[in-house]
Amino acid sequence: GKGNLWAGTAPRGKVLRIAPDGKSTEMLNLNGGSEIADGNARFVLSLAVSADGTVFAGTGPEGKIWRIDPDGKKRELCTLPAPCVSSLLAGSDGRLYAGTAEEGSVYRIDPATGATTILFDTSQSVITGLARDQEGSLYAACAPGGEIWRIQA
């Protein structure tokens, strides 16, 4: 519902919904209930919430994006060809945008089908943030060079 705070954890790989009264509910657990990270641990690195309340979780080290519907149903949406999904943006155009780590690329994703399109590949290692302006331009913040790119999306 409205007013919830969403949190992703590392190294435990969980997505938590925190209600306005402070009560938390585990919505996704990528490590099968394990409380201790091991060599196969999965991390939640980024979150985005769409206008309809759907939550998307970007993970590592397998580059997967998970979809959590408002009714709590969850499924793997897609796997990107990078180990970590470091940033997500639910666009006002209904699409999902993802930035990756270790290859510094930006993808557009259909949130219904999981179909992916690469939009931009930087010379940087990590896309640390994504944003759109009022005109609809997409921006990607990159590290380690501290660059910000405007991308035709």
Side-chain angles (χ1 to χ4, degrees):
K2 300 280 182 183
N4 290 320
L5 174 68
W6 291 87
T9 68
R12 291 191 168 91
K14 296 179 180 180
V15 174
L16 303 172
R17 181 183 64 207
I18 305 166
D21 66 3
K23 181 182 177 190
S24 67
T25 303
E26 183 178 292
M27 301 302 291
L28 180 67
N29 187 326
L30 301 176
N31 292 313
S34 172
E35 290 297 323
I36 300 172
D38 58 23
N40 296 317
R42 288 155 186 88
F43 308 96
V44 177
L45 303 170
S46 54
L47 294 170
V49 182
S50 69
D52 70 358
T54 302
V55 176
F56 299 94
T59 69
E62 298 169 336
K64 294 183 184 299
I65 298 175
W66 288 79
R67 176 186 170 125
I68 305 169
D69 293 328
D71 65 3
K73 181 180 175 186
K74 52 193 162 265
R75 66 180 171 96
E76 183 181 314
L77 181 64
C78 64
T79 302
L80 298 178
C84 298
V85 181
S86 53
S87 55
L88 287 172
L89 173 70
S92 58
D93 61 358
R95 295 179 177 147
L96 181 66
Y97 297 89
T100 62
E102 296 193 28
E103 71 167 29
S105 296
V106 177
Y107 293 84
R108 180 177 57 224
I109 301 151
D110 181 317
T113 67
T116 63
T117 303
I118 188 163
L119 293 179
F120 192 71
D121 190 14
T122 71
S123 60
Q124 299 294 302
S125 300
V126 182
I127 304 298
T128 59
L130 295 167
R132 288 197 96 149
D133 64 19
Q134 292 178 340
E135 287 77 39
S137 294
L138 180 66
Y139 295 87
C142 308
E147 300 172 349
I148 297 176
W149 291 85
R150 183 173 62 190
I151 302 166
Q152 298 301 322

